[in-house]
Amino acid sequence: MTYANLLIELKDAVGWIRINRPDKLNALNRKTLQELHEAFRSLSENPEVRVIVLTGAGPKAFVARADIAEMSGLSAIEARDFSKLGQNLMLAIEQCGKPVIAMINGFALGGGLELAMACAIRIAASTAKLGQPEVNLGLIPGFGGSQRLVRLCGKAVALDLCLSGQPIDAARALAVNLVTRVHSPDVLEEETEKLAMHIASLAPLALRGVLDCIRYGAEATLD
C-alpha cells in the first residue's frame, strides 16, 4: 500500500514507521490516523516482522500534536468521531501482538505523547520535550492520554502534566518513568535499532507472552 503521510521501511525483522509531515511537525490529522491504523495492521500480520519502531520524520518532532487546524473546523459529532478514531488507533498499538518502540526524536505533545504512551517502550532524544498541553486550548487529552499517564507515572505526575499543560524535558520524563531510555540525538536511531534488533532476535512466543502478561496480568493466556 502507498501512504501519503507515512514512510514504511523493513530492516531485517524490524518494521519502521515514520510519520512524514515534517512541515506540520508530524501533526496527527484524520488521514494520518487512518494510515497508521492500516500500517500497524499490515506489519502486525507480517510474519517477517517481529518488532515495530514508530518515529517522526525530520529533526524537530516525533508528533507535536493533533492537527489543530483540521480539528478547529469539526462539528461536535465530527470531533467525537475524530477522538474515537484516535482512541481506536491507540488501542490497536497497545494491543499489538508485537513489541512497538516509540523513538521520540523531538516534540511529543498532546496526541503525540498519547501515541508514544500506547507503545510498549519509549526511547527519547535528550533534546525531546513531552507533555499534554490540551488544557491550554480548553481541551482534555482525547486519545486516552490521561489514563495511560496514570498507569505509567502515577496520579501525581498525570495531574501535574495535564493540569499545568507544561512540557517536561527528556531527563524529567526518564525520572518519572514516562520514557525508559534517553540518548543524544546523534545516536538515538542507532541505539533504538540495536534494541529493536536484539528484541527481534528473541523467541516471538516468549515476547508475546511477556506483552500479554504485563498488559493483562496473571490471567493472560496465549492464543
Side-chain angles (χ1 to χ4, degrees):
M1 177 177 175
T2 301
Y3 298 98
N5 297 331
L6 304 180
L7 299 174
I8 308 296
E9 182 179 9
L10 300 183
K11 293 184 181 181
D12 297 319
V14 179
W16 288 74
I17 302 175
R18 297 181 193 271
I19 300 170
N20 189 33
R21 303 184 74 209
D23 56 323
K24 302 291 186 183
L25 296 178
N26 301 321
L28 296 174
N29 61 2
R30 178 178 293 275
K31 179 70 171 176
T32 305
L33 292 173
Q34 291 169 337
E35 290 189 349
L36 281 169
H37 210 295
E38 173 57 29
F40 272 98
R41 184 201 62 77
S42 177
L43 291 177
S44 66
E45 293 178 357
N46 186 337
E48 296 182 1
V49 174
R50 294 192 176 186
V51 176
I52 300 170
V53 177
L54 175 63
T55 190
K60 294 183 179 180
F62 172 73
V63 171
R65 58 186 178 272
D67 194 322
I68 302 302
E70 181 179 88
M71 291 176 62
S72 64
L74 299 179
S75 68
I77 293 176
E78 289 170 335
R80 180 200 62 188
D81 291 343
F82 182 80
S83 183
K84 285 185 176 180
L85 179 62
Q87 291 169 10
N88 288 337
L89 171 63
M90 306 308 155
L91 285 172
I93 295 172
E94 193 170 54
Q95 296 172 1
C96 180
K98 298 173 181 180
V100 181
I101 300 173
M103 189 180 83
I104 304 170
N105 53 309
F107 292 113
L109 303 173
L113 181 55
E114 292 179 291
L115 185 64
M117 288 191 290
C119 299
I121 297 173
R122 284 156 299 284
I123 304 175
S126 56
T127 52
K129 300 290 185 182
L130 305 90
Q132 297 289 171
E134 289 89 347
V135 69
N136 295 314
L137 300 173
L139 303 170
I140 65 172
F143 297 161
S146 54
Q147 296 92 327
R148 290 188 178 91
L149 263 176
V150 171
R151 294 202 295 268
L152 290 170
C153 306
K155 187 181 291 185
V157 172
L159 285 168
D160 188 332
L161 289 179
C162 290
L163 290 177
S164 72
Q166 296 176 338
I168 58 175
D169 61 21
R172 176 62 177 160
L174 181 64
V176 299
N177 298 320
L178 186 53
V179 301
T180 54
R181 303 180 186 217
V182 174
H183 297 289
S184 62
D186 58 317
V187 300
L188 176 66
E189 184 159 334
E190 176 185 351
E191 293 297 327
T192 300
E193 185 169 6
K194 283 182 184 178
L195 178 62
M197 292 297 293
H198 169 70
I199 294 174
S201 73
L202 304 176
L205 283 178
L207 297 176
R208 175 66 181 271
V210 168
L211 288 171
D212 285 350
C213 288
I214 290 176
R215 286 168 180 157
Y216 308 121
E219 297 80 9
T221 57
L222 293 177
D223 293 334

